[in-house]
Amino acid sequence: KQWYQRRVAITAGGLPGLATDVMTFANELKFHTNLYNLSENREMAPRTFLSMVSNFLYKRRFGPYFIEPVVAGLDPKTDEPFIASTDLIGCPMITNDFVVAGTCLEQLYGMCETLYQPDMDADQLFECISQCLLNAQDRDAYSGWGGVVYVIEPNKITKRELKARMD
């Protein structure tokens, strides 16, 4: 089993799903994001990125990519957090607290509903995300091998790797 990161370095996005579809879709996103940045002379806002992701997935609704994208970032004008996800045909879900996707979806929902609290600082948010991810993976036989947590702040992005069971 090969482990690789399923993250797109645009805004911040996670692509849980079928590995081949993840790689194909990530390349398509990078191409169109670079094209946007060149034509508009600015970085793409998270909401715009979500719309692009949603449109790409909806175009392929009869032969979909088997992925569930997660989009997170800060609004470039207000630095307000933006978090959303889509299903495999591109139906967006924008929320103020958390979104989950992937193999241990049900376990993550339970952990996030229990541990998440509004207005946490960066360290508290990292601890909450880490505990949710590791505990949810422990309860799901298909999940594991750790994870990567990105905490996005107005002036920096912190990346930390989590180690978990390797069976």
Side-chain angles (χ1 to χ4, degrees):
K1 192 175 191 180
Q2 183 183 5
W3 187 85
Y4 64 96
Q5 291 185 17
R6 297 171 185 227
R7 177 189 166 273
V8 182
I10 312 153
T11 300
L15 295 173
L18 185 64
T20 54
D21 288 350
V22 167
M23 289 186 280
T24 303
F25 193 70
N27 287 335
E28 189 173 341
L29 287 179
K30 285 177 190 173
F31 172 77
H32 287 283
T33 302
N34 289 339
L35 196 62
Y36 178 91
N37 293 344
L38 285 171
S39 67
E40 298 290 324
N41 285 331
R42 62 188 165 103
E43 293 292 317
M44 190 180 297
R47 247 180 228 284
T48 309
F49 184 69
L50 176 67
S51 295
M52 184 178 71
V53 167
S54 183
N55 287 331
F56 286 157
L57 291 173
Y58 190 71
K59 280 193 307 191
R60 293 189 46 111
R61 66 190 174 278
F62 299 115
Y65 290 118
F66 293 106
I67 59 173
E68 298 175 72
V70 173
V71 177
L74 297 176
D75 185 271
K77 294 178 183 156
T78 63
D79 283 337
E80 287 295 314
F82 177 82
I83 186 164
S85 66
T86 71
D87 61 9
L88 72 147
I89 62 166
C91 179
M93 183 186 78
I94 300 171
T95 183
N96 294 329
D97 46 13
F98 60 86
V99 294
V100 298
T103 306
C104 59
L105 182 75
E106 292 85 9
Q107 291 83 358
L108 277 169
Y109 263 122
M111 289 305 301
C112 290
E113 286 174 347
T114 302
L115 298 177
Y116 177 79
Q117 299 171 357
D119 300 322
M120 290 192 270
D121 66 20
D123 290 331
Q124 291 172 326
L125 188 59
F126 168 75
E127 189 62 32
C128 175
I129 293 168
S130 300
Q131 289 302 316
C132 290
L133 188 60
L134 292 174
N135 288 313
Q137 286 180 354
D138 282 343
R139 296 184 155 274
D140 185 43
Y142 290 132
S143 300
W145 286 52
V148 181
V149 176
Y150 292 88
V151 178
I152 303 170
E153 299 176 80
N155 54 354
K156 66 179 179 175
I157 298 175
T158 306
K159 172 189 170 186
R160 296 184 186 147
E161 293 186 19
L162 304 175
K163 301 290 182 196
R165 60 183 174 80
M166 306 275 280
D167 55 350

